[in-house]
Amino acid sequence: MDMTEQIIQLALFEDSGLGDITTESILPSPRNGKGVIIAKESLVLAGIGVAVKVFALLNPSIVCTSAFKDGEVVQKGEVIFEADGDLLCLLKGERVALNFLQRLSGIATLTRTFVETLSNPKVRLTDTRKTTPGFRILEKEAVRAGGGFNHRYSLYDGILIKDNHIAVAGGIENAVRAVRARASHLMKIEVEVSNMEEVRKAIAADAEVIMLDNMDLDAMKAAVVYIGGRAIVEASGNVSLSTLNAIAATGVDVISCGALTHQARSVDLSMRINPV
């Protein structure tokens, strides 16, 4: 399943699936033209392949070129992307291509800011599942373009026993036992904890990864000391640019940050289209 193509097709149908009254009235017969997308601010690029596919799905004969790749820095005023071909399709695809590029480059740009702020290279910064519904595959790629790492993609590719699982199972030990009885030996078991009593129970249950959820700095330090390398330690909750390095200094191995996706601001781009 090409999820990216499905996402783009849905976006195109949403915008012009029933036609484009304005453009079709102005262009009753085929004409060629050229469109350029320009950065109106400095940014870290993500989604260039998505933009190319937008126009390719509208008209495979449109020729798209870019001097940049995902993950590269684009300065204000630079031309990110050029598209040559059918004017009708360039005008139909303009907003969809811009929406993808602005959103994904916004995530990559924010992620790069976090990565450059994090002073400890041994600590891995990851995203979460707090993504725009339907956009997860694209937004997680944008996090990687910005220099971050991905946490589990979905519920099928990583085990994370959270507070509600623990409540349903009747405790951490029961939850871990039930998961271990079914899960592949290739998968690590991660348990979310919020206090030292739960840390001790997770260690006793032989959890391979322990997520310290919304714990204060002193509690995280104490947890890291107690765990003593017996499990990978992840910090989650209250992660911001101002708290990032203090959290890293507690000795955790991973910091997961939902803000990379749900707090990212779309960057400012524009597209200029002219007839040839």
Side-chain angles (χ1 to χ4, degrees):
M1 180 187 299
D2 188 338
M3 293 184 65
T4 299
E5 184 169 319
Q6 289 188 340
I7 294 166
I8 296 169
Q9 291 280 26
L10 181 60
L12 287 169
F13 180 79
E14 175 184 59
D15 208 40
S16 61
L18 300 179
D20 178 351
I21 297 172
T22 308
T23 304
E24 290 165 3
S25 298
I26 294 171
L27 291 170
S29 58
R31 293 176 65 188
N32 281 344
K34 181 173 184 173
V36 296
I37 295 178
I38 302 167
K40 299 181 73 175
E41 62 178 291
S42 296
L43 56 94
V44 177
L45 184 62
I48 196 69
V50 180
V52 170
K53 189 166 283 190
V54 167
F55 293 108
L57 288 173
L58 285 168
N59 189 329
S61 68
I62 292 176
V63 177
C64 299
T65 57
S66 176
F68 296 97
K69 297 178 181 178
D70 281 2
E72 293 183 335
V73 175
V74 180
Q75 301 298 334
K76 180 179 180 180
E78 290 190 297
V79 173
I80 295 174
F81 180 87
E82 297 182 359
D84 293 272
D86 180 57
L87 265 176
L88 176 64
C89 292
L90 292 180
L91 288 161
K92 279 187 176 182
E94 171 190 0
R95 176 44 52 195
V96 175
L98 284 173
N99 283 348
F100 281 119
L101 279 172
Q102 289 177 301
R103 171 67 181 152
L104 300 177
S105 295
I107 291 171
T109 302
L110 180 60
T111 301
R112 182 66 55 83
T113 302
F114 269 84
V115 169
E116 291 178 347
T117 300
L118 183 58
S119 59
N120 187 342
K122 294 182 179 180
V123 178
R124 176 171 288 204
L125 178 70
T126 77
D127 55 22
T128 69
R129 285 167 50 241
K130 295 177 181 177
T131 53
T132 306
F135 268 50
R136 183 172 296 164
I137 188 172
L138 303 180
E139 293 185 348
K140 282 184 171 283
E141 287 175 358
V143 167
R144 294 199 300 273
F149 291 87
N150 297 145
H151 205 282
R152 59 178 177 166
Y153 173 77
S154 192
L155 296 176
Y156 67 81
D157 66 332
I159 297 168
L160 175 49
I161 299 172
K162 297 176 68 67
D163 54 352
N164 287 325
H165 296 116
I166 293 167
V168 170
I172 288 174
E173 299 90 338
N174 290 342
V176 172
R177 187 182 307 113
V179 170
R180 182 165 283 123
R182 180 178 179 183
S184 164
H185 65 285
L186 298 175
M187 280 193 171
K188 291 183 172 65
I189 296 177
E190 180 171 12
V191 178
E192 177 187 273
V193 300
S194 58
N195 55 58
M196 281 302 300
E197 179 183 359
E198 292 176 346
V199 171
R200 286 189 283 270
K201 289 180 179 180
I203 285 294
D206 293 326
E208 287 96 349
V209 186
I210 297 178
M211 176 193 286
L212 310 179
D213 184 50
N214 286 296
M215 292 173 65
D216 62 39
L217 296 175
D218 289 338
M220 282 193 278
K221 289 178 184 177
V224 169
V225 170
Y226 177 80
I227 293 168
R230 289 176 287 177
I232 296 169
V233 185
E234 175 184 337
S236 181
N238 298 315
V239 180
S240 66
L241 289 170
S242 61
T243 63
L244 186 63
N245 282 315
I247 294 172
T250 64
V252 298
D253 304 296
V254 179
I255 299 175
S256 55
C257 180
L260 300 181
T261 49
H262 70 68
Q263 294 295 320
R265 174 187 65 82
S266 294
V267 298
D268 193 6
L269 307 174
S270 67
M271 186 169 184
R272 295 289 177 262
I273 300 175
N274 293 294
V276 174

